[in-house]
Amino acid sequence: AASNAQTSANTANTTLADIAADNKLTPIEKHQARQEWDVIAAEKVVNDTQATTFGITTEKTAYGTAFQELATYLNAGTTWSSGTPSWLADANLGTTTTITGSTFRAKWKAYYDARTALLNAIAAKAKALADAAQTAANGAATAAANAQAAAAYADRLARSSNNLIKNGNSEDPNP
């Protein structure tokens, strides 16, 4: 999952770098950026929920900050709170917007870097929990096997003792 996240981030950053190469965000480029926005906006709730579930706070905070900074930049610098940022809104998709290409690229890159760090942290935490669960399961299986072996030995010992008592032999059954 983490390597897929990195690959998709690299692809998106390359596409977005091409978009902003001339300091103009054209209608065609806005449609491409809007598609990226729709993806990241939809996945944000899922990523935040997973981070909360696993108790990941530092990377989640960085991710939230990068998302908000990108959204505000795409909202013509006005603090974004919900919906589609103004440059990518339906009403503005047909117009060209003058931008600072390096800032546009940097905001998207910062977002994808923070997203990748968050997804890596989620994957690492999930793996650590799975490894701990596997270790506990292995320990429980070993304990169960040991308990079965001890019970079988105790049963053999009890039967042997009973046979000795029935036969009037009081010798140790395990010389």
Side-chain angles (χ1 to χ4, degrees):
S3 69
N4 289 343
Q6 185 61 56
T7 300
S8 81
N10 291 344
T11 301
N13 278 324
T14 299
T15 300
L16 295 163
D18 290 343
I19 288 173
D22 64 354
N23 293 331
K24 299 283 184 194
L25 192 56
T26 66
I28 291 171
E29 294 167 337
K30 283 184 177 186
H31 282 282
Q32 291 172 317
R34 171 70 178 267
Q35 287 176 337
E36 285 300 315
W37 172 262
D38 290 345
V39 169
I40 69 170
E43 74 183 6
K44 185 163 187 327
V45 173
V46 173
N47 293 341
D48 283 344
T49 300
Q50 287 181 342
T52 298
T53 298
F54 288 117
I56 298 168
T57 56
T58 302
E59 292 86 352
K60 180 183 176 198
T61 299
Y63 170 70
T65 298
F67 181 89
Q68 183 61 44
E69 288 176 359
L70 172 62
T72 295
Y73 177 74
L74 296 173
N75 204 41
T78 301
T79 301
W80 174 87
S81 59
S82 67
T84 303
S86 65
W87 286 349
L88 306 179
D90 291 344
N92 293 321
L93 284 177
T95 63
T96 296
T97 301
T98 300
I99 61 170
T100 303
S102 59
T103 303
F104 181 88
R105 290 186 297 276
K107 295 292 184 187
W108 281 99
K109 182 177 182 329
Y111 166 78
Y112 277 111
D113 288 350
R115 174 183 168 258
T116 298
L118 176 63
L119 294 177
N120 285 339
I122 290 168
K125 181 68 173 194
K127 182 182 182 321
L129 291 172
D131 289 349
Q134 185 63 57
T135 298
N138 291 346
T142 299
N146 290 342
Q148 279 185 319
Y153 177 74
D155 184 55
R156 281 193 314 274
L157 186 60
R159 288 178 196 213
S160 179
S161 294
N162 284 340
N163 286 339
L164 288 174
I165 292 171
K166 284 182 188 174
N167 296 331
N169 187 352
S170 61
E171 292 180 22
D172 184 355
N174 293 313

PDB file of all heavy atoms in Angstrom, residues 21-58:
ATOM      1  N   ALA A  21       3.860  24.685 -15.441  1.00  0.00           N
ATOM      2  CA  ALA A  21       5.145  25.066 -16.009  1.00  0.00           C
ATOM      3  C   ALA A  21       5.179  26.498 -16.537  1.00  0.00           C
ATOM      4  O   ALA A  21       6.232  27.132 -16.532  1.00  0.00           O
ATOM      5  CB  ALA A  21       5.528  24.085 -17.121  1.00  0.00           C
ATOM      6  N   ASP A  22       4.054  27.044 -16.975  1.00  0.00           N
ATOM      7  CA  ASP A  22       4.054  28.385 -17.591  1.00  0.00           C
ATOM      8  C   ASP A  22       3.400  29.465 -16.721  1.00  0.00           C
ATOM      9  O   ASP A  22       3.101  30.555 -17.205  1.00  0.00           O
ATOM     10  CB  ASP A  22       3.361  28.317 -18.944  1.00  0.00           C
ATOM     11  CG  ASP A  22       1.892  27.931 -18.825  1.00  0.00           C
ATOM     12  OD1 ASP A  22       1.435  27.607 -17.715  1.00  0.00           O
ATOM     13  OD2 ASP A  22       1.201  27.947 -19.858  1.00  0.00           O
ATOM     14  N   ASN A  23       3.169  29.172 -15.476  1.00  0.00           N
ATOM     15  CA  ASN A  23       2.531  30.121 -14.551  1.00  0.00           C
ATOM     16  C   ASN A  23       1.094  30.474 -14.940  1.00  0.00           C
ATOM     17  O   ASN A  23       0.573  31.509 -14.529  1.00  0.00           O
ATOM     18  CB  ASN A  23       3.368  31.399 -14.384  1.00  0.00           C
ATOM     19  CG  ASN A  23       4.677  31.119 -13.686  1.00  0.00           C
ATOM     20  OD1 ASN A  23       4.777  30.200 -12.878  1.00  0.00           O
ATOM     21  ND2 ASN A  23       5.694  31.896 -13.995  1.00  0.00           N
ATOM     22  N   LYS A  24       0.488  29.622 -15.716  1.00  0.00           N
ATOM     23  CA  LYS A  24      -0.922  29.780 -16.091  1.00  0.00           C
ATOM     24  C   LYS A  24      -1.631  28.473 -15.789  1.00  0.00           C
ATOM     25  O   LYS A  24      -1.146  27.396 -16.114  1.00  0.00           O
ATOM     26  CB  LYS A  24      -1.076  30.080 -17.585  1.00  0.00           C
ATOM     27  CG  LYS A  24      -0.406  31.344 -18.054  1.00  0.00           C
ATOM     28  CD  LYS A  24      -1.203  32.546 -17.667  1.00  0.00           C
ATOM     29  CE  LYS A  24      -0.534  33.796 -18.241  1.00  0.00           C
ATOM     30  NZ  LYS A  24      -1.064  34.993 -17.630  1.00  0.00           N
ATOM     31  N   LEU A  25      -2.777  28.585 -15.164  1.00  0.00           N
ATOM     32  CA  LEU A  25      -3.620  27.420 -14.912  1.00  0.00           C
ATOM     33  C   LEU A  25      -4.781  27.541 -15.895  1.00  0.00           C
ATOM     34  O   LEU A  25      -5.729  28.291 -15.678  1.00  0.00           O
ATOM     35  CB  LEU A  25      -4.096  27.421 -13.457  1.00  0.00           C
ATOM     36  CG  LEU A  25      -4.755  26.162 -12.924  1.00  0.00           C
ATOM     37  CD1 LEU A  25      -3.842  24.942 -13.090  1.00  0.00           C
ATOM     38  CD2 LEU A  25      -5.107  26.335 -11.449  1.00  0.00           C
ATOM     39  N   THR A  26      -4.653  26.823 -17.023  1.00  0.00           N
ATOM     40  CA  THR A  26      -5.632  26.919 -18.112  1.00  0.00           C
ATOM     41  C   THR A  26      -6.840  26.033 -17.812  1.00  0.00           C
ATOM     42  O   THR A  26      -6.783  25.174 -16.926  1.00  0.00           O
ATOM     43  CB  THR A  26      -4.995  26.476 -19.445  1.00  0.00           C
ATOM     44  OG1 THR A  26      -4.693  25.080 -19.358  1.00  0.00           O
ATOM     45  CG2 THR A  26      -3.747  27.292 -19.773  1.00  0.00           C
ATOM     46  N   PRO A  27      -7.923  26.216 -18.573  1.00  0.00           N
ATOM     47  CA  PRO A  27      -9.099  25.380 -18.353  1.00  0.00           C
ATOM     48  C   PRO A  27      -8.800  23.875 -18.429  1.00  0.00           C
ATOM     49  O   PRO A  27      -9.294  23.110 -17.593  1.00  0.00           O
ATOM     50  CB  PRO A  27     -10.058  25.819 -19.462  1.00  0.00           C
ATOM     51  CG  PRO A  27      -9.723  27.269 -19.654  1.00  0.00           C
ATOM     52  CD  PRO A  27      -8.210  27.309 -19.517  1.00  0.00           C
ATOM     53  N   ILE A  28      -8.008  23.437 -19.381  1.00  0.00           N
ATOM     54  CA  ILE A  28      -7.680  22.008 -19.480  1.00  0.00           C
ATOM     55  C   ILE A  28      -6.904  21.578 -18.234  1.00  0.00           C
ATOM     56  O   ILE A  28      -7.160  20.519 -17.652  1.00  0.00           O
ATOM     57  CB  ILE A  28      -6.881  21.719 -20.770  1.00  0.00           C
ATOM     58  CG1 ILE A  28      -7.790  21.905 -21.979  1.00  0.00           C
ATOM     59  CG2 ILE A  28      -6.273  20.319 -20.743  1.00  0.00           C
ATOM     60  CD1 ILE A  28      -7.074  21.851 -23.314  1.00  0.00           C
ATOM     61  N   GLU A  29      -5.952  22.396 -17.824  1.00  0.00           N
ATOM     62  CA  GLU A  29      -5.153  22.082 -16.635  1.00  0.00           C
ATOM     63  C   GLU A  29      -6.010  22.096 -15.376  1.00  0.00           C
ATOM     64  O   GLU A  29      -5.801  21.286 -14.470  1.00  0.00           O
ATOM     65  CB  GLU A  29      -3.990  23.072 -16.526  1.00  0.00           C
ATOM     66  CG  GLU A  29      -2.995  22.930 -17.664  1.00  0.00           C
ATOM     67  CD  GLU A  29      -2.012  24.077 -17.753  1.00  0.00           C
ATOM     68  OE1 GLU A  29      -2.301  25.179 -17.250  1.00  0.00           O
ATOM     69  OE2 GLU A  29      -0.940  23.863 -18.338  1.00  0.00           O
ATOM     70  N   LYS A  30      -6.966  23.001 -15.333  1.00  0.00           N
ATOM     71  CA  LYS A  30      -7.863  23.049 -14.177  1.00  0.00           C
ATOM     72  C   LYS A  30      -8.679  21.758 -14.067  1.00  0.00           C
ATOM     73  O   LYS A  30      -8.897  21.259 -12.963  1.00  0.00           O
ATOM     74  CB  LYS A  30      -8.803  24.259 -14.256  1.00  0.00           C
ATOM     75  CG  LYS A  30      -8.131  25.559 -13.898  1.00  0.00           C
ATOM     76  CD  LYS A  30      -9.132  26.699 -13.903  1.00  0.00           C
ATOM     77  CE  LYS A  30      -8.479  27.984 -13.468  1.00  0.00           C
ATOM     78  NZ  LYS A  30      -9.445  29.078 -13.325  1.00  0.00           N
ATOM     79  N   HIS A  31      -9.091  21.222 -15.190  1.00  0.00           N
ATOM     80  CA  HIS A  31      -9.836  19.959 -15.161  1.00  0.00           C
ATOM     81  C   HIS A  31      -8.964  18.839 -14.593  1.00  0.00           C
ATOM     82  O   HIS A  31      -9.432  18.023 -13.799  1.00  0.00           O
ATOM     83  CB  HIS A  31     -10.363  19.594 -16.559  1.00  0.00           C
ATOM     84  CG  HIS A  31     -11.587  20.357 -16.952  1.00  0.00           C
ATOM     85  ND1 HIS A  31     -12.847  20.045 -16.492  1.00  0.00           N
ATOM     86  CD2 HIS A  31     -11.745  21.437 -17.757  1.00  0.00           C
ATOM     87  CE1 HIS A  31     -13.725  20.892 -16.992  1.00  0.00           C
ATOM     88  NE2 HIS A  31     -13.086  21.753 -17.764  1.00  0.00           N
ATOM     89  N   GLN A  32      -7.691  18.806 -14.999  1.00  0.00           N
ATOM     90  CA  GLN A  32      -6.774  17.797 -14.473  1.00  0.00           C
ATOM     91  C   GLN A  32      -6.548  17.998 -12.971  1.00  0.00           C
ATOM     92  O   GLN A  32      -6.577  17.041 -12.193  1.00  0.00           O
ATOM     93  CB  GLN A  32      -5.433  17.846 -15.208  1.00  0.00           C
ATOM     94  CG  GLN A  32      -5.533  17.394 -16.642  1.00  0.00           C
ATOM     95  CD  GLN A  32      -4.248  17.644 -17.402  1.00  0.00           C
ATOM     96  OE1 GLN A  32      -3.626  18.702 -17.276  1.00  0.00           O
ATOM     97  NE2 GLN A  32      -3.836  16.666 -18.197  1.00  0.00           N
ATOM     98  N   ALA A  33      -6.324  19.246 -12.574  1.00  0.00           N
ATOM     99  CA  ALA A  33      -6.112  19.549 -11.152  1.00  0.00           C
ATOM    100  C   ALA A  33      -7.374  19.242 -10.346  1.00  0.00           C
ATOM    101  O   ALA A  33      -7.295  18.766  -9.208  1.00  0.00           O
ATOM    102  CB  ALA A  33      -5.696  21.005 -10.973  1.00  0.00           C
ATOM    103  N   ARG A  34      -8.527  19.504 -10.933  1.00  0.00           N
ATOM    104  CA  ARG A  34      -9.803  19.218 -10.266  1.00  0.00           C
ATOM    105  C   ARG A  34      -9.949  17.717 -10.021  1.00  0.00           C
ATOM    106  O   ARG A  34     -10.409  17.292  -8.950  1.00  0.00           O
ATOM    107  CB  ARG A  34     -10.960  19.748 -11.106  1.00  0.00           C
ATOM    108  CG  ARG A  34     -12.353  19.328 -10.649  1.00  0.00           C
ATOM    109  CD  ARG A  34     -12.772  19.987  -9.323  1.00  0.00           C
ATOM    110  NE  ARG A  34     -14.103  19.594  -8.976  1.00  0.00           N
ATOM    111  CZ  ARG A  34     -15.210  20.269  -9.300  1.00  0.00           C
ATOM    112  NH1 ARG A  34     -15.129  21.398  -9.965  1.00  0.00           N
ATOM    113  NH2 ARG A  34     -16.388  19.833  -8.944  1.00  0.00           N
ATOM    114  N   GLN A  35      -9.552  16.900 -11.001  1.00  0.00           N
ATOM    115  CA  GLN A  35      -9.611  15.448 -10.811  1.00  0.00           C
ATOM    116  C   GLN A  35      -8.717  15.035  -9.647  1.00  0.00           C
ATOM    117  O   GLN A  35      -9.117  14.217  -8.814  1.00  0.00           O
ATOM    118  CB  GLN A  35      -9.181  14.719 -12.082  1.00  0.00           C
ATOM    119  CG  GLN A  35     -10.211  14.786 -13.179  1.00  0.00           C
ATOM    120  CD  GLN A  35      -9.728  14.146 -14.480  1.00  0.00           C
ATOM    121  OE1 GLN A  35      -8.533  14.020 -14.723  1.00  0.00           O
ATOM    122  NE2 GLN A  35     -10.668  13.744 -15.310  1.00  0.00           N
ATOM    123  N   GLU A  36      -7.521  15.601  -9.569  1.00  0.00           N
ATOM    124  CA  GLU A  36      -6.626  15.304  -8.446  1.00  0.00           C
ATOM    125  C   GLU A  36      -7.253  15.757  -7.132  1.00  0.00           C
ATOM    126  O   GLU A  36      -7.202  15.052  -6.129  1.00  0.00           O
ATOM    127  CB  GLU A  36      -5.264  15.994  -8.627  1.00  0.00           C
ATOM    128  CG  GLU A  36      -4.373  15.349  -9.648  1.00  0.00           C
ATOM    129  CD  GLU A  36      -4.032  13.912  -9.321  1.00  0.00           C
ATOM    130  OE1 GLU A  36      -3.692  13.609  -8.166  1.00  0.00           O
ATOM    131  OE2 GLU A  36      -4.108  13.076 -10.238  1.00  0.00           O
ATOM    132  N   TRP A  37      -7.835  16.953  -7.157  1.00  0.00           N
ATOM    133  CA  TRP A  37      -8.478  17.478  -5.946  1.00  0.00           C
ATOM    134  C   TRP A  37      -9.591  16.544  -5.479  1.00  0.00           C
ATOM    135  O   TRP A  37      -9.697  16.235  -4.289  1.00  0.00           O
ATOM    136  CB  TRP A  37      -9.043  18.883  -6.168  1.00  0.00           C
ATOM    137  CG  TRP A  37      -9.850  19.319  -4.993  1.00  0.00           C
ATOM    138  CD1 TRP A  37     -11.209  19.278  -4.850  1.00  0.00           C
ATOM    139  CD2 TRP A  37      -9.333  19.757  -3.740  1.00  0.00           C
ATOM    140  NE1 TRP A  37     -11.570  19.686  -3.590  1.00  0.00           N
ATOM    141  CE2 TRP A  37     -10.432  19.982  -2.892  1.00  0.00           C
ATOM    142  CE3 TRP A  37      -8.055  19.997  -3.259  1.00  0.00           C
ATOM    143  CZ2 TRP A  37     -10.290  20.433  -1.587  1.00  0.00           C
ATOM    144  CZ3 TRP A  37      -7.903  20.447  -1.960  1.00  0.00           C
ATOM    145  CH2 TRP A  37      -9.015  20.659  -1.136  1.00  0.00           C
ATOM    146  N   ASP A  38     -10.428  16.110  -6.395  1.00  0.00           N
ATOM    147  CA  ASP A  38     -11.541  15.234  -6.033  1.00  0.00           C
ATOM    148  C   ASP A  38     -11.043  13.946  -5.369  1.00  0.00           C
ATOM    149  O   ASP A  38     -11.643  13.469  -4.401  1.00  0.00           O
ATOM    150  CB  ASP A  38     -12.400  14.903  -7.255  1.00  0.00           C
ATOM    151  CG  ASP A  38     -13.207  16.105  -7.756  1.00  0.00           C
ATOM    152  OD1 ASP A  38     -13.334  17.110  -7.007  1.00  0.00           O
ATOM    153  OD2 ASP A  38     -13.690  16.046  -8.906  1.00  0.00           O
ATOM    154  N   VAL A  39      -9.935  13.406  -5.871  1.00  0.00           N
ATOM    155  CA  VAL A  39      -9.362  12.182  -5.291  1.00  0.00           C
ATOM    156  C   VAL A  39      -8.860  12.457  -3.874  1.00  0.00           C
ATOM    157  O   VAL A  39      -9.182  11.725  -2.930  1.00  0.00           O
ATOM    158  CB  VAL A  39      -8.223  11.622  -6.178  1.00  0.00           C
ATOM    159  CG1 VAL A  39      -7.447  10.535  -5.461  1.00  0.00           C
ATOM    160  CG2 VAL A  39      -8.789  11.096  -7.491  1.00  0.00           C
ATOM    161  N   ILE A  40      -8.076  13.511  -3.718  1.00  0.00           N
ATOM    162  CA  ILE A  40      -7.483  13.746  -2.387  1.00  0.00           C
ATOM    163  C   ILE A  40      -8.529  14.171  -1.366  1.00  0.00           C
ATOM    164  O   ILE A  40      -8.429  13.823  -0.193  1.00  0.00           O
ATOM    165  CB  ILE A  40      -6.287  14.725  -2.421  1.00  0.00           C
ATOM    166  CG1 ILE A  40      -6.713  16.151  -2.736  1.00  0.00           C
ATOM    167  CG2 ILE A  40      -5.220  14.233  -3.389  1.00  0.00           C
ATOM    168  CD1 ILE A  40      -5.617  17.185  -2.549  1.00  0.00           C
ATOM    169  N   ALA A  41      -9.540  14.904  -1.827  1.00  0.00           N
ATOM    170  CA  ALA A  41     -10.600  15.310  -0.897  1.00  0.00           C
ATOM    171  C   ALA A  41     -11.391  14.094  -0.428  1.00  0.00           C
ATOM    172  O   ALA A  41     -11.761  13.996   0.749  1.00  0.00           O
ATOM    173  CB  ALA A  41     -11.522  16.329  -1.564  1.00  0.00           C
ATOM    174  N   ALA A  42     -11.641  13.151  -1.342  1.00  0.00           N
ATOM    175  CA  ALA A  42     -12.407  11.953  -0.988  1.00  0.00           C
ATOM    176  C   ALA A  42     -11.630  11.039  -0.048  1.00  0.00           C
ATOM    177  O   ALA A  42     -12.205  10.423   0.844  1.00  0.00           O
ATOM    178  CB  ALA A  42     -12.799  11.193  -2.252  1.00  0.00           C
ATOM    179  N   GLU A  43     -10.324  10.943  -0.231  1.00  0.00           N
ATOM    180  CA  GLU A  43      -9.547  10.016   0.589  1.00  0.00           C
ATOM    181  C   GLU A  43      -9.149  10.594   1.951  1.00  0.00           C
ATOM    182  O   GLU A  43      -8.739   9.862   2.835  1.00  0.00           O
ATOM    183  CB  GLU A  43      -8.299   9.549  -0.154  1.00  0.00           C
ATOM    184  CG  GLU A  43      -7.213  10.593  -0.238  1.00  0.00           C
ATOM    185  CD  GLU A  43      -5.997  10.145  -1.044  1.00  0.00           C
ATOM    186  OE1 GLU A  43      -6.021   9.048  -1.644  1.00  0.00           O
ATOM    187  OE2 GLU A  43      -5.030  10.912  -1.063  1.00  0.00           O
ATOM    188  N   LYS A  44      -9.299  11.897   2.124  1.00  0.00           N
ATOM    189  CA  LYS A  44      -8.844  12.528   3.363  1.00  0.00           C
ATOM    190  C   LYS A  44      -9.551  11.964   4.589  1.00  0.00           C
ATOM    191  O   LYS A  44      -8.921  11.667   5.602  1.00  0.00           O
ATOM    192  CB  LYS A  44      -9.010  14.039   3.318  1.00  0.00           C
ATOM    193  CG  LYS A  44      -8.410  14.686   4.580  1.00  0.00           C
ATOM    194  CD  LYS A  44      -8.183  16.128   4.432  1.00  0.00           C
ATOM    195  CE  LYS A  44      -7.442  16.745   5.600  1.00  0.00           C
ATOM    196  NZ  LYS A  44      -7.665  16.207   6.913  1.00  0.00           N
ATOM    197  N   VAL A  45     -10.851  11.790   4.529  1.00  0.00           N
ATOM    198  CA  VAL A  45     -11.603  11.257   5.665  1.00  0.00           C
ATOM    199  C   VAL A  45     -11.123   9.847   6.018  1.00  0.00           C
ATOM    200  O   VAL A  45     -10.939   9.517   7.194  1.00  0.00           O
ATOM    201  CB  VAL A  45     -13.126  11.264   5.372  1.00  0.00           C
ATOM    202  CG1 VAL A  45     -13.898  10.564   6.465  1.00  0.00           C
ATOM    203  CG2 VAL A  45     -13.628  12.690   5.203  1.00  0.00           C
ATOM    204  N   VAL A  46     -10.891   9.039   4.995  1.00  0.00           N
ATOM    205  CA  VAL A  46     -10.423   7.663   5.212  1.00  0.00           C
ATOM    206  C   VAL A  46      -9.042   7.675   5.875  1.00  0.00           C
ATOM    207  O   VAL A  46      -8.801   6.970   6.862  1.00  0.00           O
ATOM    208  CB  VAL A  46     -10.375   6.882   3.874  1.00  0.00           C
ATOM    209  CG1 VAL A  46      -9.729   5.520   4.057  1.00  0.00           C
ATOM    210  CG2 VAL A  46     -11.773   6.750   3.292  1.00  0.00           C
ATOM    211  N   ASN A  47      -8.136   8.488   5.337  1.00  0.00           N
ATOM    212  CA  ASN A  47      -6.781   8.561   5.901  1.00  0.00           C
ATOM    213  C   ASN A  47      -6.803   9.079   7.340  1.00  0.00           C
ATOM    214  O   ASN A  47      -6.091   8.560   8.203  1.00  0.00           O
ATOM    215  CB  ASN A  47      -5.885   9.432   5.027  1.00  0.00           C
ATOM    216  CG  ASN A  47      -5.627   8.821   3.667  1.00  0.00           C
ATOM    217  OD1 ASN A  47      -5.812   7.625   3.461  1.00  0.00           O
ATOM    218  ND2 ASN A  47      -5.202   9.636   2.725  1.00  0.00           N
ATOM    219  N   ASP A  48      -7.607  10.098   7.588  1.00  0.00           N
ATOM    220  CA  ASP A  48      -7.718  10.642   8.951  1.00  0.00           C
ATOM    221  C   ASP A  48      -8.276   9.597   9.917  1.00  0.00           C
ATOM    222  O   ASP A  48      -7.789   9.455  11.039  1.00  0.00           O
ATOM    223  CB  ASP A  48      -8.617  11.886   8.972  1.00  0.00           C
ATOM    224  CG  ASP A  48      -7.927  13.130   8.439  1.00  0.00           C
ATOM    225  OD1 ASP A  48      -6.676  13.143   8.330  1.00  0.00           O
ATOM    226  OD2 ASP A  48      -8.644  14.103   8.133  1.00  0.00           O
ATOM    227  N   THR A  49      -9.287   8.868   9.481  1.00  0.00           N
ATOM    228  CA  THR A  49      -9.896   7.839  10.334  1.00  0.00           C
ATOM    229  C   THR A  49      -8.897   6.741  10.666  1.00  0.00           C
ATOM    230  O   THR A  49      -8.783   6.318  11.827  1.00  0.00           O
ATOM    231  CB  THR A  49     -11.146   7.239   9.652  1.00  0.00           C
ATOM    232  OG1 THR A  49     -12.087   8.299   9.441  1.00  0.00           O
ATOM    233  CG2 THR A  49     -11.771   6.147  10.491  1.00  0.00           C
ATOM    234  N   GLN A  50      -8.147   6.290   9.668  1.00  0.00           N
ATOM    235  CA  GLN A  50      -7.141   5.256   9.921  1.00  0.00           C
ATOM    236  C   GLN A  50      -6.061   5.765  10.864  1.00  0.00           C
ATOM    237  O   GLN A  50      -5.633   5.042  11.770  1.00  0.00           O
ATOM    238  CB  GLN A  50      -6.518   4.778   8.611  1.00  0.00           C
ATOM    239  CG  GLN A  50      -7.450   3.926   7.794  1.00  0.00           C
ATOM    240  CD  GLN A  50      -6.806   3.449   6.503  1.00  0.00           C
ATOM    241  OE1 GLN A  50      -5.808   3.983   6.038  1.00  0.00           O
ATOM    242  NE2 GLN A  50      -7.393   2.418   5.916  1.00  0.00           N
ATOM    243  N   ALA A  51      -5.617   6.994  10.666  1.00  0.00           N
ATOM    244  CA  ALA A  51      -4.587   7.556  11.536  1.00  0.00           C
ATOM    245  C   ALA A  51      -5.089   7.631  12.977  1.00  0.00           C
ATOM    246  O   ALA A  51      -4.369   7.281  13.920  1.00  0.00           O
ATOM    247  CB  ALA A  51      -4.175   8.945  11.044  1.00  0.00           C
ATOM    248  N   THR A  52      -6.325   8.053  13.159  1.00  0.00           N
ATOM    249  CA  THR A  52      -6.915   8.127  14.496  1.00  0.00           C
ATOM    250  C   THR A  52      -7.027   6.734  15.106  1.00  0.00           C
ATOM    251  O   THR A  52      -6.674   6.526  16.278  1.00  0.00           O
ATOM    252  CB  THR A  52      -8.300   8.802  14.440  1.00  0.00           C
ATOM    253  OG1 THR A  52      -8.125  10.142  13.948  1.00  0.00           O
ATOM    254  CG2 THR A  52      -8.952   8.838  15.803  1.00  0.00           C
ATOM    255  N   THR A  53      -7.491   5.771  14.322  1.00  0.00           N
ATOM    256  CA  THR A  53      -7.631   4.395  14.798  1.00  0.00           C
ATOM    257  C   THR A  53      -6.311   3.851  15.308  1.00  0.00           C
ATOM    258  O   THR A  53      -6.265   3.180  16.342  1.00  0.00           O
ATOM    259  CB  THR A  53      -8.175   3.490  13.669  1.00  0.00           C
ATOM    260  OG1 THR A  53      -9.466   3.967  13.301  1.00  0.00           O
ATOM    261  CG2 THR A  53      -8.266   2.042  14.100  1.00  0.00           C
ATOM    262  N   PHE A  54      -5.222   4.145  14.605  1.00  0.00           N
ATOM    263  CA  PHE A  54      -3.909   3.628  14.974  1.00  0.00           C
ATOM    264  C   PHE A  54      -3.140   4.555  15.918  1.00  0.00           C
ATOM    265  O   PHE A  54      -1.994   4.263  16.268  1.00  0.00           O
ATOM    266  CB  PHE A  54      -3.069   3.350  13.725  1.00  0.00           C
ATOM    267  CG  PHE A  54      -3.532   2.143  12.956  1.00  0.00           C
ATOM    268  CD1 PHE A  54      -4.002   2.266  11.661  1.00  0.00           C
ATOM    269  CD2 PHE A  54      -3.492   0.882  13.521  1.00  0.00           C
ATOM    270  CE1 PHE A  54      -4.426   1.155  10.939  1.00  0.00           C
ATOM    271  CE2 PHE A  54      -3.920  -0.240  12.819  1.00  0.00           C
ATOM    272  CZ  PHE A  54      -4.380  -0.095  11.531  1.00  0.00           C
ATOM    273  N   GLY A  55      -3.742   5.676  16.311  1.00  0.00           N
ATOM    274  CA  GLY A  55      -3.089   6.581  17.252  1.00  0.00           C
ATOM    275  C   GLY A  55      -1.900   7.327  16.654  1.00  0.00           C
ATOM    276  O   GLY A  55      -0.944   7.652  17.354  1.00  0.00           O
ATOM    277  N   ILE A  56      -1.965   7.613  15.373  1.00  0.00           N
ATOM    278  CA  ILE A  56      -0.871   8.320  14.689  1.00  0.00           C
ATOM    279  C   ILE A  56      -1.226   9.805  14.655  1.00  0.00           C
ATOM    280  O   ILE A  56      -2.161  10.209  13.968  1.00  0.00           O
ATOM    281  CB  ILE A  56      -0.680   7.756  13.268  1.00  0.00           C
ATOM    282  CG1 ILE A  56      -0.292   6.281  13.366  1.00  0.00           C
ATOM    283  CG2 ILE A  56       0.349   8.559  12.490  1.00  0.00           C
ATOM    284  CD1 ILE A  56      -0.358   5.540  12.070  1.00  0.00           C
ATOM    285  N   THR A  57      -0.486  10.598  15.403  1.00  0.00           N
ATOM    286  CA  THR A  57      -0.844  12.011  15.525  1.00  0.00           C
ATOM    287  C   THR A  57       0.089  12.955  14.763  1.00  0.00           C
ATOM    288  O   THR A  57      -0.381  13.878  14.099  1.00  0.00           O
ATOM    289  CB  THR A  57      -0.878  12.434  17.003  1.00  0.00           C
ATOM    290  OG1 THR A  57       0.382  12.132  17.603  1.00  0.00           O
ATOM    291  CG2 THR A  57      -1.987  11.689  17.749  1.00  0.00           C
ATOM    292  N   THR A  58       1.389  12.737  14.836  1.00  0.00           N
ATOM    293  CA  THR A  58       2.343  13.663  14.217  1.00  0.00           C
ATOM    294  C   THR A  58       2.140  13.715  12.711  1.00  0.00           C
ATOM    295  O   THR A  58       1.993  14.810  12.133  1.00  0.00           O
ATOM    296  CB  THR A  58       3.786  13.246  14.551  1.00  0.00           C
ATOM    297  OG1 THR A  58       3.933  13.238  15.972  1.00  0.00           O
ATOM    298  CG2 THR A  58       4.795  14.193  13.928  1.00  0.00           C
TER     299      THR A  58
END
